[in-house]
Amino acid sequence: METTQPVHGVAAWQQLLKKQTLPIPTTTQAALSEAITENNTLPPLAAIIRHCPLTAFHMFHQANKSRETTHDIRVKSLEHAMAMLGVDAIKVFINSVRTFNPLSDNPKTNCLTKEVSNSIHAAHQAQYWFKQKTRKTSEEVFWSALFFNVTRWALALQTPTQMQLIQQSGGKHAQAIERQILGCTISTLQLALDDYWSLPCISHHAWEQLRATKPSSWIAMSRFGRQKPEHGYTHASERAERRFQDKKEQDPQFRLLLGTPAAFIFWANALAQCSRYSWFSINSSRLSGLMAALLNKGWDKTTQTIHQEAVNLSHKLTYGYGPAPAVGLVNSEVLYHEPKLTRPQKKPSPTSPSQTKEAKPTTPAIKPIPAPVTPQSIAEKQGDIAHFEQIVENLKEQPERYPTLASLIDILTEAIIEGLAYERLIIALTNKERTRLKSYRCHPKTEKVQFEIVLATAPFFNDLLKKQQTIWVKGKEQPDTWAKIPGSFKKAVEHDHFMLQTLTMPRKAIGMLYVDMPYSNSLFKVADFRYLQALGNASRITLLSMAQSKKRR
């Protein structure tokens, strides 16, 4: 019996997807049929098609394929594309196009509508932020962002099982999983199909600029955006801005890319993909930082506006598409969660001849998602350990770089949020008399955790602050420890799995670091405890240096 070989690699997928015809919703076909019967003109049709990405895809595809085109002269306006086709050709299309019911439970339908909804989110974010930057509305930006991931639409229809595996994966393993399942990345396949699709899109030159841009340039830009206050400057934001400007000077392709609409299209699609997993992850925070830096606005305000745009789109989303992008802001349970990567299974031992049976031909199955060895800690899985280790080394070897408590707090925040990728950090400081412990700063800034503890009435914290130490609290797994923690503190943080790191100078307490993972509910590992302990020890060296400097004055 012959078996069909699984499709693998760019060339094979390219050949298969060219034969694929994308359907449109039955509701859209019915509305178009009614409109063309009542009024045989283009404007009523355009008003309907503008709200259906799949129908718009066909208009652009057919208009641009009907003539010899290059990227620079492709039609990038819906009305222009429809005018080129004419009412008669559109009428033929309406009567012959495949349709689907967007409300059915068909796996292909569900997978397709998720991908299209994600692209709609990206298009609206790109258009909104491009308008904020340039004070102009661009149809080209909207359609280019919408069709940026059109290959995912075709894959969802062609192979929903494989695409569901890809949809459920995210983060740093996404491209590795795409290569394992498809034999190539989706972005590579998108570029290979670009001439065939003939849709409004970013130029190949912009792709080359993106590939040529150094990752460190994006990191510097995001750090500047996250450090920038809404008004004025801080020492940390000035330092981050200088680093960002230096990167722009050293990386000309990066500087050129930031001046083009492509930057907004890349960013919006990255945001749309990221928000499928979490609106409050470190990656979401980094993307908010990029836009804050690009528009030179405060990180808090930028993040709030990004969330508000997702809410606005969710109110307008056409019936049948979903899930709405703002759902994750209210209930994170509906979002995708990155699956645990499977460990390679041991090969079974060879069986004896008496146990062997005649082999039966089977259809090749999708290989399990390979994974690098599962990381031992949250920091190793999501963070930037090299950056964290560099900060620890600087604190130990060059403590003079941080002459004030404010500068130390800034670098500790960077180490924990960027280096270790912990989701929440609360910094609490003592008053001058060392009688109270009060929350001072919280990250992310959208969190408003506030508490003030009178140390005389809280023996747990009073004893904790007497020396340099790291505490790992595991909630009710440690009933004795959990019972000692004041109820007001438990109520303020609303989480029972966290770590505490004290900050002390000779013979006096400075404050305390609190870290946890409240959004993903991930549990710390032993390695996470050791990383925080190492940061605390390095901080003590800097605090000792700070105290000695004050004595010399």
Side-chain angles (χ1 to χ4, degrees), residues 209-222:
Q209 288 176 332
L210 178 67
R211 287 172 174 160
T213 297
K214 299 172 185 175
S216 59
S217 299
W218 294 112
I219 293 170
M221 181 178 179
S222 179

Side-chain angles (χ1 to χ4, degrees), residues 135-171:
R135 305 301 174 190
K136 294 186 294 185
T137 300
S138 171
E139 279 228 347
E140 180 181 352
V141 168
F142 178 85
W143 295 116
S144 296
L146 180 70
F147 298 132
F148 182 86
N149 274 319
V150 70
T151 303
R152 297 180 74 103
W153 306 1
L155 286 168
L157 196 65
Q158 179 66 38
T159 174
T161 303
Q162 291 170 301
M163 274 305 291
Q164 282 172 354
L165 286 174
I166 293 172
Q167 286 175 343
Q168 290 166 2
S169 63

Side-chain angles (χ1 to χ4, degrees), residues 43 98 128 203 216 239 253 347 351 364-365 368 405 412 427 474 503 522 524 526 550:
R98 289 172 54 206
Y128 175 83
S203 66
S216 59
R239 189 168 60 249
Q253 295 299 322
K347 294 182 179 179
T351 55
L405 185 58
L412 290 177
I427 299 173
K474 302 178 183 179
L503 301 173
S522 301
F524 291 119
V526 173
K550 287 182 179 179

Side-chain angles (χ1 to χ4, degrees), residues 504-510 540 543-548 551:
T504 59
M505 293 178 78
R507 294 183 297 278
K508 64 179 179 181
I510 295 297
R540 181 170 174 78
L543 286 167
L544 288 171
S545 173
M546 206 181 294
Q548 291 169 0
K551 285 182 180 179

Side-chain angles (χ1 to χ4, degrees), residues 254-525:
F254 175 59
R255 186 171 64 251
L256 291 171
L257 180 61
L258 292 183
T260 67
F264 294 87
I265 296 167
F266 284 129
W267 174 87
N269 277 274
L271 176 74
Q273 289 293 334
C274 185
S275 64
R276 300 170 82 161
Y277 306 97
S278 173
W279 276 106
F280 304 103
S281 67
I282 186 64
N283 287 336
S284 295
S285 175
R286 286 169 178 162
L287 287 166
S288 297
L290 289 176
M291 188 51 64
L294 191 59
L295 270 65
N296 201 27
K297 292 181 178 291
W299 181 86
D300 277 349
K301 186 68 174 177
T302 302
T303 303
Q304 291 171 12
T305 309
I306 290 171
H307 293 175
Q308 186 59 53
E309 275 306 295
V311 172
N312 294 342
L313 171 61
S314 299
H315 290 157
K316 298 185 291 186
L317 200 62
T318 306
Y319 187 59
Y321 289 109
V327 169
L329 292 169
V330 181
N331 179 14
S332 61
E333 293 301 315
V334 304
L335 301 179
Y336 294 118
H337 296 282
E338 188 171 357
K340 292 182 179 179
L341 298 169
T342 56
R343 293 177 181 271
Q345 296 181 351
K346 294 181 180 179
K347 294 182 179 179
S349 57
T351 55
S352 62
S354 60
Q355 293 175 322
T356 57
K357 296 181 180 180
E358 185 179 351
K360 295 182 180 180
T362 57
T363 304
I366 300 171
K367 295 179 182 179
I369 298 171
V373 177
T374 305
Q376 297 301 307
S377 70
I378 294 167
E380 290 165 356
K381 183 178 179 182
Q382 301 176 2
D384 185 347
I385 298 301
H387 182 53
F388 171 79
E389 290 175 344
Q390 183 62 55
I391 291 175
V392 170
E393 184 180 347
N394 290 343
L395 289 168
K396 291 161 63 178
E397 303 297 332
Q398 301 175 11
E400 66 278 1
R401 293 178 61 174
Y402 313 102
T404 64
L405 185 58
S407 62
L408 176 61
I409 287 174
D410 286 341
I411 199 65
L412 290 177
T413 302
E414 186 173 323
I416 290 171
I417 299 301
E418 297 184 17
L420 300 180
Y422 298 155
E423 291 175 351
R424 185 167 64 166
L425 164 67
I426 302 170
I427 299 173
L429 301 177
T430 57
N431 60 353
K432 291 181 179 180
E433 295 77 20
R434 315 292 184 225
T435 58
R436 295 175 182 270
L437 179 70
K438 185 176 181 180
S439 55
Y440 169 72
R441 179 188 291 182
C442 188
H443 187 97
K445 295 178 182 178
T446 49
E447 288 276 351
K448 303 297 181 185
V449 178
Q450 295 182 345
F451 59 81
E452 185 171 3
I453 298 168
V454 179
L455 295 177
T457 62
F460 175 82
F461 285 107
N462 193 36
D463 294 340
L464 180 70
L465 292 168
K466 286 180 179 178
K467 60 181 179 179
Q468 182 84 13
Q469 55 184 317
T470 311
I471 301 293
W472 183 1
V473 178
K474 302 178 183 179
K476 295 178 181 178
E477 293 179 27
Q478 303 168 319
D480 293 341
T481 302
W482 187 247
K484 294 177 184 177
I485 299 173
S488 58
F489 181 82
K490 295 176 186 175
K491 184 177 180 181
V493 299
E494 294 184 329
H495 203 60
D496 63 355
H497 192 96
F498 53 84
M499 293 190 293
L500 303 172
Q501 173 63 55
T502 59
L503 301 173
T504 59
M505 293 178 78
R507 294 183 297 278
K508 64 179 179 181
I510 295 297
M512 177 188 76
L513 305 178
Y514 167 101
V515 295
D516 65 0
M517 301 290 289
Y519 309 127
S520 62
N521 282 322
S522 301
L523 302 180
F524 291 119
K525 307 293 183 185

